[in-house]
Amino acid sequence: MQTQNRLREPFLIVLITVIVLTFLSFIPTEFRVGQYQMKKVDLFSEVRHQSKHIVFPLPDVVFADAIRDSLARVLREKELYGIASFSKDTLGAMDRFYMALLQTKKAKKKTRIAYFGDSMVEGDLLTMDLRSFFQQDFGGSGVGFVPITSIVAGFRTTIIHSFSSDWTDYNFNDGGGPDHPLGPSGHCFLASGGSYVKYKGSKYSGSFNQVKLYYGSGKADCRVNVTTDAGTSEVALSESKAVNEAVLNSSPTAAISMSFSCPGVNIYGASFEGPSGVYVDNYAFRGNSGLTLTAVPMNIYRGFDEYFSYDLIVLHYGLNAVGHKVKSYAWYFDAFKKVVEHISASYPSASILIIGMSDKGYKEGGEWKTEPDIPVFVEQQKKLARETGVAFWNLYENMGGYNSMKEWVEGDTAYANRDYAHPNHRGATRMAKMLYKKIMDGFKEYEAKLE
């Protein structure tokens, strides 16, 4: 009996210890007494440990779609080179763009990209580097489209931009109505008696080879005084289409100013470009979730496309949709699906690429970590790309996945601001490099298929 009791005692001691530690693991145990610091007791710390890339449960439909798809569909979906093609026909979702890029490479044609986004890309962040990479490899000179006024004109470094304070700005926030339809930038401007705008080349842009003005229905008495290095001239804006173009200079100039006498005429902005190469138009609008893109009438989108002939439309949103207290995003994806359909119908000859949102920090218990909804939100963006037959790139995973924004902010080299949401200039360049590499990998694969 004594032997049995001695065997039972260690077992009971271990059992009681486990029970006590288990209890302590579920209650706060941190406290300090003088120099003594009691740490958190957590018997299950190793079990609880989450890897850098957390796998969240996804709706069954995400997997069910893949199971039902044919082998050909699955192969098209495969994220070769980082960009997934969810095309619903034999032409890949990015092939129209790659086709145009090949023509630029071989025949010096123009390739044009419209990059729609929120504050992630305002001030030409990310797009300035993406544009530079393309222009270094394929040619081109100029920053593309720039609106008449901008709240980030003092922040943008790719062009020096100033304007009078008397412009009326109809935009996504205020609306323009049928009399003042908004342009792709989300703005429509109305001049008063002495309204002017000035653009000057920066170290980035250099001189302007071609400057073109875009405006709505004109009137016979609408005039613009244009001043360049060659002097001052008067240009009459008298066209009557929904979107019109006026070429303002025919030789390089270091600066250009425009003074308007155009009461009642909708003015959209100017484009700075050359005769060939690749151009990236930055259509950033702060605080935008992307849903307001349907506020731009289809005839306005198409009117711009008559002149720009877009080959790729990039949709980069999510930062203003994800929030810790949002219970469901079903409403958002239903609405964003209509956005993609509206853009697809407006630019039928262009490829469309959805950029999955980047990581975003959420502060909990004094510590920054990934907003829990983001991995699921990104998967839903991918699902939306599949349903609409467009391309998708997962920025969240490419920048490092779970807690990557924390690393971008707190690392030895800071790549993001301390709001744990927005990249700084270095971070935007890093994102642009990643995206450009993935696009070029896909382009090389496209070229190889043609050989």
Side-chain angles (χ1 to χ4, degrees), residues 173-213:
N173 293 333
D174 304 321
D179 294 332
H180 307 290
L182 306 181
S185 67
H187 296 269
C188 174
F189 302 94
L190 212 62
S192 61
S195 299
Y196 68 84
V197 59
K198 298 179 181 179
Y199 304 97
K200 185 179 179 181
S202 67
K203 291 181 179 179
Y204 174 96
S205 61
S207 60
F208 306 139
N209 291 320
Q210 278 186 339
V211 183
K212 303 175 181 179
L213 179 68

Short mmCIF file of all heavy atoms in Angstrom, two decimals, residues 173-213:
data_model
loop_
_atom_site.label_atom_id
_atom_site.label_comp_id
_atom_site.label_asym_id
_atom_site.label_seq_id
_atom_site.Cartn_x
_atom_site.Cartn_y
_atom_site.Cartn_z
N ASN A 173 -17.34 63.90 -53.86
CA ASN A 173 -17.94 64.26 -52.57
C ASN A 173 -19.15 65.16 -52.72
O ASN A 173 -20.12 65.05 -51.96
CB ASN A 173 -16.89 64.94 -51.69
CG ASN A 173 -15.77 64.01 -51.26
OD1 ASN A 173 -15.98 62.79 -51.17
ND2 ASN A 173 -14.59 64.55 -51.03
N ASP A 174 -19.09 66.08 -53.69
CA ASP A 174 -20.15 67.08 -53.84
C ASP A 174 -21.11 66.77 -54.98
O ASP A 174 -22.23 67.28 -54.99
CB ASP A 174 -19.53 68.47 -54.07
CG ASP A 174 -18.56 68.85 -52.96
OD1 ASP A 174 -18.88 68.54 -51.79
OD2 ASP A 174 -17.51 69.42 -53.24
N GLY A 175 -20.67 65.98 -55.95
CA GLY A 175 -21.52 65.67 -57.10
C GLY A 175 -21.55 66.79 -58.10
O GLY A 175 -21.33 67.95 -57.78
N GLY A 176 -21.78 66.44 -59.34
CA GLY A 176 -21.84 67.44 -60.39
C GLY A 176 -23.17 67.49 -61.09
O GLY A 176 -23.53 68.50 -61.71
N GLY A 177 -23.94 66.39 -60.99
CA GLY A 177 -25.23 66.35 -61.65
C GLY A 177 -25.10 66.26 -63.16
O GLY A 177 -23.99 66.22 -63.71
N PRO A 178 -26.21 66.25 -63.86
CA PRO A 178 -26.17 66.12 -65.32
C PRO A 178 -25.52 67.30 -66.03
O PRO A 178 -25.01 67.14 -67.15
CB PRO A 178 -27.67 66.00 -65.69
CG PRO A 178 -28.40 66.63 -64.54
CD PRO A 178 -27.59 66.33 -63.34
N ASP A 179 -25.51 68.47 -65.42
CA ASP A 179 -24.91 69.64 -66.07
C ASP A 179 -23.38 69.66 -65.96
O ASP A 179 -22.71 70.31 -66.77
CB ASP A 179 -25.46 70.93 -65.46
CG ASP A 179 -26.95 71.12 -65.75
OD1 ASP A 179 -27.40 70.60 -66.80
OD2 ASP A 179 -27.63 71.74 -64.93
N HIS A 180 -22.86 68.97 -64.97
CA HIS A 180 -21.41 68.97 -64.76
C HIS A 180 -20.94 67.53 -64.51
O HIS A 180 -20.51 67.19 -63.40
CB HIS A 180 -21.04 69.86 -63.57
CG HIS A 180 -21.60 71.24 -63.67
ND1 HIS A 180 -21.15 72.17 -64.60
CD2 HIS A 180 -22.61 71.85 -62.98
CE1 HIS A 180 -21.83 73.28 -64.46
NE2 HIS A 180 -22.72 73.12 -63.50
N PRO A 181 -21.01 66.67 -65.53
CA PRO A 181 -20.61 65.27 -65.34
C PRO A 181 -19.14 65.17 -64.95
O PRO A 181 -18.29 65.86 -65.51
CB PRO A 181 -20.88 64.64 -66.72
CG PRO A 181 -20.86 65.79 -67.68
CD PRO A 181 -21.40 66.96 -66.92
N LEU A 182 -18.87 64.31 -64.00
CA LEU A 182 -17.51 64.14 -63.50
C LEU A 182 -16.65 63.38 -64.50
O LEU A 182 -17.14 62.53 -65.24
CB LEU A 182 -17.53 63.40 -62.17
CG LEU A 182 -18.40 63.99 -61.06
CD1 LEU A 182 -18.30 63.15 -59.79
CD2 LEU A 182 -18.02 65.45 -60.78
N GLY A 183 -15.35 63.69 -64.49
CA GLY A 183 -14.40 62.98 -65.33
C GLY A 183 -13.78 61.81 -64.58
O GLY A 183 -14.09 61.56 -63.41
N PRO A 184 -12.86 61.06 -65.22
CA PRO A 184 -12.24 59.88 -64.58
C PRO A 184 -11.52 60.21 -63.28
O PRO A 184 -11.41 59.34 -62.41
CB PRO A 184 -11.26 59.39 -65.64
CG PRO A 184 -11.78 59.91 -66.93
CD PRO A 184 -12.41 61.23 -66.62
N SER A 185 -11.04 61.43 -63.12
CA SER A 185 -10.35 61.80 -61.88
C SER A 185 -11.31 62.02 -60.73
O SER A 185 -10.89 62.23 -59.59
CB SER A 185 -9.52 63.07 -62.10
OG SER A 185 -10.36 64.19 -62.32
N GLY A 186 -12.62 62.01 -61.03
CA GLY A 186 -13.62 62.28 -60.00
C GLY A 186 -13.92 63.74 -59.85
O GLY A 186 -14.56 64.15 -58.87
N HIS A 187 -13.48 64.57 -60.82
CA HIS A 187 -13.66 66.02 -60.75
C HIS A 187 -14.22 66.57 -62.06
O HIS A 187 -14.05 65.98 -63.13
CB HIS A 187 -12.33 66.72 -60.48
CG HIS A 187 -11.71 66.39 -59.16
ND1 HIS A 187 -11.94 67.12 -58.02
CD2 HIS A 187 -10.86 65.40 -58.81
CE1 HIS A 187 -11.26 66.60 -57.02
NE2 HIS A 187 -10.59 65.56 -57.47
N CYS A 188 -14.86 67.71 -61.94
CA CYS A 188 -15.25 68.53 -63.08
C CYS A 188 -15.11 69.98 -62.61
O CYS A 188 -15.62 70.35 -61.55
CB CYS A 188 -16.69 68.23 -63.51
SG CYS A 188 -17.31 69.32 -64.81
N PHE A 189 -14.41 70.81 -63.39
CA PHE A 189 -14.08 72.17 -62.95
C PHE A 189 -14.78 73.22 -63.81
O PHE A 189 -14.93 73.05 -65.03
CB PHE A 189 -12.57 72.39 -63.01
CG PHE A 189 -11.79 71.41 -62.18
CD1 PHE A 189 -11.28 70.25 -62.76
CD2 PHE A 189 -11.59 71.62 -60.83
CE1 PHE A 189 -10.55 69.34 -62.00
CE2 PHE A 189 -10.88 70.72 -60.06
CZ PHE A 189 -10.35 69.58 -60.64
N LEU A 190 -15.18 74.30 -63.14
CA LEU A 190 -15.82 75.41 -63.82
C LEU A 190 -15.03 76.68 -63.54
O LEU A 190 -14.72 76.99 -62.39
CB LEU A 190 -17.25 75.57 -63.30
CG LEU A 190 -18.30 76.08 -64.30
CD1 LEU A 190 -18.44 75.11 -65.46
CD2 LEU A 190 -19.64 76.28 -63.61
N ALA A 191 -14.67 77.39 -64.61
CA ALA A 191 -13.86 78.60 -64.47
C ALA A 191 -14.75 79.82 -64.22
O ALA A 191 -15.90 79.87 -64.65
CB ALA A 191 -13.03 78.82 -65.74
N SER A 192 -14.19 80.79 -63.51
CA SER A 192 -14.85 82.10 -63.38
C SER A 192 -14.09 83.08 -64.27
O SER A 192 -13.33 82.67 -65.14
CB SER A 192 -14.85 82.55 -61.92
OG SER A 192 -13.53 82.70 -61.44
N GLY A 193 -14.23 84.35 -64.02
CA GLY A 193 -13.66 85.35 -64.92
C GLY A 193 -12.15 85.30 -65.08
O GLY A 193 -11.63 85.47 -66.17
N GLY A 194 -11.43 85.05 -63.99
CA GLY A 194 -9.97 85.10 -64.08
C GLY A 194 -9.27 83.81 -63.69
O GLY A 194 -8.12 83.83 -63.23
N SER A 195 -9.93 82.68 -63.87
CA SER A 195 -9.35 81.41 -63.46
C SER A 195 -8.14 81.03 -64.32
O SER A 195 -8.15 81.19 -65.54
CB SER A 195 -10.40 80.29 -63.56
OG SER A 195 -11.49 80.55 -62.71
N TYR A 196 -7.11 80.53 -63.65
CA TYR A 196 -5.93 80.10 -64.38
C TYR A 196 -5.37 78.83 -63.75
O TYR A 196 -5.67 78.48 -62.60
CB TYR A 196 -4.85 81.19 -64.39
CG TYR A 196 -4.22 81.45 -63.04
CD1 TYR A 196 -3.17 80.66 -62.56
CD2 TYR A 196 -4.68 82.48 -62.21
CE1 TYR A 196 -2.60 80.89 -61.32
CE2 TYR A 196 -4.11 82.71 -60.96
CZ TYR A 196 -3.07 81.90 -60.53
OH TYR A 196 -2.51 82.13 -59.30
N VAL A 197 -4.51 78.13 -64.50
CA VAL A 197 -3.77 76.99 -63.99
C VAL A 197 -2.39 77.02 -64.63
O VAL A 197 -2.24 77.41 -65.80
CB VAL A 197 -4.49 75.66 -64.30
CG1 VAL A 197 -4.69 75.45 -65.80
CG2 VAL A 197 -3.74 74.47 -63.70
N LYS A 198 -1.38 76.65 -63.85
CA LYS A 198 0.00 76.65 -64.35
C LYS A 198 0.65 75.30 -64.05
O LYS A 198 0.49 74.75 -62.96
CB LYS A 198 0.82 77.76 -63.68
CG LYS A 198 0.31 79.17 -63.97
CD LYS A 198 1.17 80.21 -63.25
CE LYS A 198 0.66 81.63 -63.51
NZ LYS A 198 1.48 82.65 -62.80
N TYR A 199 1.37 74.79 -65.03
CA TYR A 199 2.12 73.56 -64.86
C TYR A 199 3.57 73.82 -65.26
O TYR A 199 3.84 74.45 -66.28
CB TYR A 199 1.56 72.44 -65.74
CG TYR A 199 0.10 72.12 -65.53
CD1 TYR A 199 -0.86 72.66 -66.37
CD2 TYR A 199 -0.31 71.26 -64.51
CE1 TYR A 199 -2.21 72.36 -66.21
CE2 TYR A 199 -1.65 70.95 -64.34
CZ TYR A 199 -2.60 71.51 -65.19
OH TYR A 199 -3.93 71.21 -65.03
N LYS A 200 4.48 73.29 -64.46
CA LYS A 200 5.90 73.46 -64.75
C LYS A 200 6.61 72.13 -64.58
O LYS A 200 6.28 71.34 -63.69
CB LYS A 200 6.51 74.51 -63.80
CG LYS A 200 7.97 74.84 -64.09
CD LYS A 200 8.47 75.91 -63.11
CE LYS A 200 9.93 76.25 -63.38
NZ LYS A 200 10.44 77.27 -62.42
N GLY A 201 7.56 71.88 -65.46
CA GLY A 201 8.30 70.63 -65.37
C GLY A 201 9.14 70.54 -64.13
O GLY A 201 9.66 71.55 -63.64
N SER A 202 9.30 69.34 -63.57
CA SER A 202 10.15 69.11 -62.41
C SER A 202 11.35 68.28 -62.85
O SER A 202 11.50 67.94 -64.03
CB SER A 202 9.37 68.35 -61.33
OG SER A 202 9.07 67.04 -61.77
N LYS A 203 12.22 67.94 -61.90
CA LYS A 203 13.35 67.07 -62.23
C LYS A 203 12.86 65.73 -62.77
O LYS A 203 13.50 65.10 -63.60
CB LYS A 203 14.23 66.85 -61.00
CG LYS A 203 14.99 68.09 -60.55
CD LYS A 203 15.85 67.78 -59.33
CE LYS A 203 16.62 69.03 -58.89
NZ LYS A 203 17.46 68.76 -57.69
N TYR A 204 11.71 65.31 -62.29
CA TYR A 204 11.13 64.04 -62.73
C TYR A 204 10.61 64.13 -64.16
O TYR A 204 10.90 63.28 -64.99
CB TYR A 204 10.00 63.65 -61.78
CG TYR A 204 9.21 62.42 -62.21
CD1 TYR A 204 9.53 61.17 -61.69
CD2 TYR A 204 8.15 62.52 -63.09
CE1 TYR A 204 8.81 60.05 -62.07
CE2 TYR A 204 7.42 61.39 -63.46
CZ TYR A 204 7.77 60.16 -62.96
OH TYR A 204 7.06 59.06 -63.33
N SER A 205 9.84 65.16 -64.45
CA SER A 205 9.15 65.24 -65.74
C SER A 205 9.95 65.90 -66.84
O SER A 205 9.75 65.63 -68.02
CB SER A 205 7.81 65.98 -65.57
OG SER A 205 8.05 67.31 -65.12
N GLY A 206 10.86 66.81 -66.48
CA GLY A 206 11.58 67.55 -67.51
C GLY A 206 10.64 68.48 -68.25
O GLY A 206 9.61 68.92 -67.73
N SER A 207 10.96 68.79 -69.50
CA SER A 207 10.10 69.66 -70.30
C SER A 207 8.90 68.88 -70.84
O SER A 207 8.89 67.65 -70.84
CB SER A 207 10.89 70.27 -71.47
OG SER A 207 11.40 69.25 -72.31
N PHE A 208 7.89 69.62 -71.28
CA PHE A 208 6.67 69.01 -71.80
C PHE A 208 6.73 68.94 -73.32
O PHE A 208 6.83 69.97 -74.00
CB PHE A 208 5.45 69.83 -71.38
CG PHE A 208 5.34 70.06 -69.90
CD1 PHE A 208 4.96 71.30 -69.40
CD2 PHE A 208 5.61 69.04 -69.00
CE1 PHE A 208 4.85 71.52 -68.04
CE2 PHE A 208 5.51 69.25 -67.63
CZ PHE A 208 5.13 70.50 -67.15
N ASN A 209 6.65 67.73 -73.87
CA ASN A 209 6.66 67.59 -75.33
C ASN A 209 5.31 67.95 -75.94
O ASN A 209 5.24 68.67 -76.93
CB ASN A 209 7.02 66.15 -75.71
CG ASN A 209 8.47 65.83 -75.41
OD1 ASN A 209 9.35 66.66 -75.62
ND2 ASN A 209 8.72 64.65 -74.88
N GLN A 210 4.25 67.43 -75.34
CA GLN A 210 2.89 67.73 -75.80
C GLN A 210 2.02 67.99 -74.59
O GLN A 210 2.07 67.25 -73.60
CB GLN A 210 2.30 66.55 -76.59
CG GLN A 210 2.72 66.48 -78.04
CD GLN A 210 1.96 65.37 -78.77
OE1 GLN A 210 1.45 64.44 -78.16
NE2 GLN A 210 1.90 65.47 -80.08
N VAL A 211 1.19 69.03 -74.68
CA VAL A 211 0.20 69.30 -73.63
C VAL A 211 -1.15 69.39 -74.31
O VAL A 211 -1.34 70.14 -75.27
CB VAL A 211 0.50 70.62 -72.88
CG1 VAL A 211 -0.53 70.82 -71.77
CG2 VAL A 211 1.91 70.61 -72.32
N LYS A 212 -2.10 68.59 -73.80
CA LYS A 212 -3.44 68.55 -74.38
C LYS A 212 -4.46 68.86 -73.29
O LYS A 212 -4.37 68.34 -72.17
CB LYS A 212 -3.71 67.17 -74.99
CG LYS A 212 -2.70 66.76 -76.06
CD LYS A 212 -2.94 65.34 -76.54
CE LYS A 212 -1.93 64.94 -77.60
NZ LYS A 212 -2.13 63.55 -78.05
N LEU A 213 -5.43 69.67 -73.62
CA LEU A 213 -6.48 70.06 -72.68
C LEU A 213 -7.75 69.27 -72.98
O LEU A 213 -8.11 69.06 -74.14
CB LEU A 213 -6.77 71.56 -72.81
CG LEU A 213 -7.87 72.12 -71.90
CD1 LEU A 213 -7.41 72.10 -70.44
CD2 LEU A 213 -8.23 73.54 -72.33
#
